[in-house]
Amino acid sequence: MKLLITGANGFVGKNLTAHIDEIENIEYVKFTKDHKVSELKDLLKDVDCVIHLAGVNRPQNESEFFEGNTDFTEQLLNVLSAQPKPLPVIYSSSIQAERDNAYGKSKRQAEKLVMGYAQANDVPTKVYRLANVFGKWCKPNYNSMVATFCHNVARDLPIQVNDANAKVKLVYIDDVVNEFVKAARSLVLHEKKVETVAEPSQVQPIYEETVGGIADLLNLFKKSRDTLVTEKVGDGFTRKLYSTYVSYLPKERFSYDVPKHGDERGVFVEMLKTKDSGQFSFFTAYPGVTRGGHYHHTKNEKFLVIKGRAHFGFRHMVTNEYHELFTSGDKPEIVETAPGWSHDITNVGDEEMVVMLWANEIFDRDNPDTYYAPVKLS
């Protein structure tokens, strides 16, 4: 399948082409602001579908809305109609088309042109009214509040929140790209007559958030480098906003220091803390050094020796039953502690031992749930 992508150097276009580069059996040709309409005919050679992203959303005067959105769409469709075989079209519109401002009117008129093209040429098309798209590579201080906020917070610059409770509808760039690729495949493979859909489609999921809520989350993302406590960045809107925020970090901030605590036994470093799934850290131990010698009532830990050789000892706090095992960095093996068993770990090798550690809760100095109890009784 071969695609012609208008506006290919824009925010959505850059992400779309980057994704397509990773997909086998899909090619594309770009139409950018550096091209002329007269070049379209040659660019359309062997093309199966057009994804029309080009448009104007922040001109110096209102007439440019209609020139860049309505007029150019009409010119594109005229060229497509003149082809021996009119091509399917996917048009990227905006939820602003629901409004009566100049931008909204120009997009709404372009939508009608696309739908008219579909009916006149008996060819499948799809129009998407996109919510505010956010994600990597969106230009800050232009027309995206999320991009501007991410850019500024990542650089310690102020952000302006006029109405914290104002709601905004958002859609994530990867969801847009995946939908467009899926729609292109569907339109190209569609062999039967397609009825033009009266109402434009929307890319899902759409997230409705408040401006203040987004600002607060971004500040928490930034703060997490100091507290080491991460937000729930593994799912949903928070995951996508966090990914977007990190993409705006200047390269000199790709790394950051974390506290290191050391004594005669070795060092201990906390890496990451979660609000509901514990924390991650690592420690070292010199040859012959024993760490631990305590038990927990509720806390649970997982150890992974990644360098060196370790001896783990366990003693049941009621029965005094004893258990021991050995692990090394040569064979990855998780050792899990059980509540009610005292435990320790000894470096029984000839080199410094390095151990990764996960605990199922963040360490609380006021309620540590850690009680001294030697594993071996004298």
Side-chain angles (χ1 to χ4, degrees):
M1 179 173 68
K2 186 174 181 180
L3 307 172
L4 172 72
I5 302 173
T6 72
N9 288 343
F11 164 44
V12 177
K14 288 177 181 177
N15 280 273
L16 177 60
T17 54
H19 278 255
I20 294 175
D21 285 339
E22 301 161 0
I23 303 174
E24 293 183 1
N25 302 319
I26 301 185
E27 302 176 72
Y28 61 86
V29 59
K30 295 181 177 182
F31 183 91
T32 71
K33 61 183 180 181
D34 296 324
H35 289 94
K36 298 178 181 179
V37 175
S38 59
E39 299 177 74
L40 273 170
K41 183 177 179 180
D42 291 335
L43 293 176
L44 286 168
K45 183 179 179 180
D46 298 325
V47 166
D48 300 298
C49 181
V50 174
I51 300 182
H52 181 24
L53 307 175
V56 174
N57 55 23
R58 199 164 184 176
Q60 293 185 353
N61 57 75
E62 288 190 355
S63 64
E64 294 179 47
F65 280 128
F66 297 93
E67 294 170 5
N69 296 326
T70 309
D71 296 346
F72 174 68
T73 298
E74 184 173 23
Q75 293 169 348
L76 170 65
L77 296 175
N78 287 339
V79 174
L80 294 178
S81 296
Q83 297 298 301
K85 182 181 178 181
L87 299 175
V89 174
I90 295 170
Y91 178 51
S92 173
S93 185
S94 166
I95 55 174
Q96 290 290 322
E98 301 169 1
R99 301 187 177 184
D100 285 330
N101 54 44
Y103 176 59
K105 289 179 180 178
S106 68
K107 297 297 280 188
R108 190 162 63 247
Q109 290 176 16
E111 291 177 357
K112 292 179 180 178
L113 289 170
V114 173
M115 293 178 181
Y117 163 82
Q119 292 178 331
N121 294 282
D122 192 23
V123 63
T125 62
K126 198 147 190 182
V127 172
Y128 287 94
R129 279 189 181 174
L130 298 180
N132 296 282
V133 187
F134 72 102
K136 66 182 184 299
W137 304 337
C138 186
K139 184 179 179 181
N141 301 308
Y142 187 59
N143 69 331
S144 169
M145 173 267 293
V146 173
T148 302
F149 280 14
C150 287
H151 175 272
N152 286 16
V153 172
R155 289 164 175 76
D156 301 326
L157 299 174
I159 59 176
Q160 183 175 340
V161 178
N162 296 321
D163 182 358
N165 295 318
K167 293 183 178 180
V168 58
K169 291 183 178 180
L170 299 163
V171 63
Y172 186 54
I173 185 61
D174 286 5
D175 296 325
V176 172
V177 166
N178 291 334
E179 176 63 23
F180 283 3
V181 172
K182 178 182 176 182
R185 283 192 171 122
S186 177
L187 295 184
V188 169
L189 296 175
H190 220 319
E191 298 178 351
K192 298 181 180 180
K193 179 180 178 180
V194 177
E195 295 183 4
T196 302
V197 178
E199 293 297 325
S201 301
Q202 292 183 324
V203 174
Q204 299 291 341
I206 295 175
Y207 301 98
E208 187 168 317
E209 305 291 332
T210 65
V211 174
I214 292 171
D216 289 344
L217 261 179
L218 292 175
N219 282 311
L220 286 173
F221 295 160
K222 177 183 178 181
K223 187 179 178 182
S224 68
R225 288 191 167 194
D226 297 321
T227 65
L228 302 184
V229 179
T230 183
E231 299 302 303
K232 297 180 180 180
V233 296
D235 189 36
F237 174 75
T238 305
R239 169 180 176 267
K240 296 169 182 177
L241 184 64
Y242 181 71
S243 176
T244 303
Y245 167 73
V246 173
S247 76
Y248 283 87
L249 288 171
K251 56 183 180 296
E252 60 270 19
R253 294 191 176 186
F254 280 4
S255 66
Y256 58 100
D257 295 330
V258 292
K260 180 173 71 173
H261 309 281
D263 56 27
E264 67 279 0
R265 299 172 299 169
V267 301
F268 177 78
V269 178
E270 293 177 309
M271 175 187 174
L272 181 71
K273 302 177 183 180
T274 71
K275 292 184 174 182
D276 61 353
S277 299
Q279 69 177 59
F280 298 85
S281 56
F282 82 88
F283 64 86
T284 67
Y286 301 121
V289 166
T290 298
R291 282 182 172 273
H294 56 240
Y295 75 99
H296 314 292
H297 288 295
T298 302
K299 183 185 296 185
N300 160 251
E301 298 165 319
K302 296 178 187 288
F303 295 85
L304 174 63
V305 176
I306 59 176
K307 178 185 175 184
R309 295 178 60 242
H311 168 271
F312 286 87
F314 302 88
R315 177 174 64 87
H316 193 282
M317 293 304 298
V318 174
T319 66
N320 287 329
E321 178 182 356
Y322 179 77
H323 179 65
E324 66 179 358
L325 57 87
F326 295 84
T327 69
S328 76
D330 297 331
K331 178 186 176 184
E333 182 179 0
I334 300 291
V335 177
E336 188 159 21
T337 65
W341 288 74
S342 178
H343 50 272
D344 62 20
I345 177 173
T346 303
N347 182 350
V348 293
D350 298 325
E351 59 180 348
E352 182 182 49
M353 181 176 66
V354 181
V355 183
M356 291 183 63
L357 169 64
W358 170 83
N360 69 328
E361 59 185 45
I362 295 177
F363 181 72
D364 182 353
R365 294 187 181 278
D366 296 327
N367 184 27
D369 189 18
T370 301
Y371 305 92
Y372 173 74
V375 172
K376 288 190 177 181
L377 298 176
S378 56

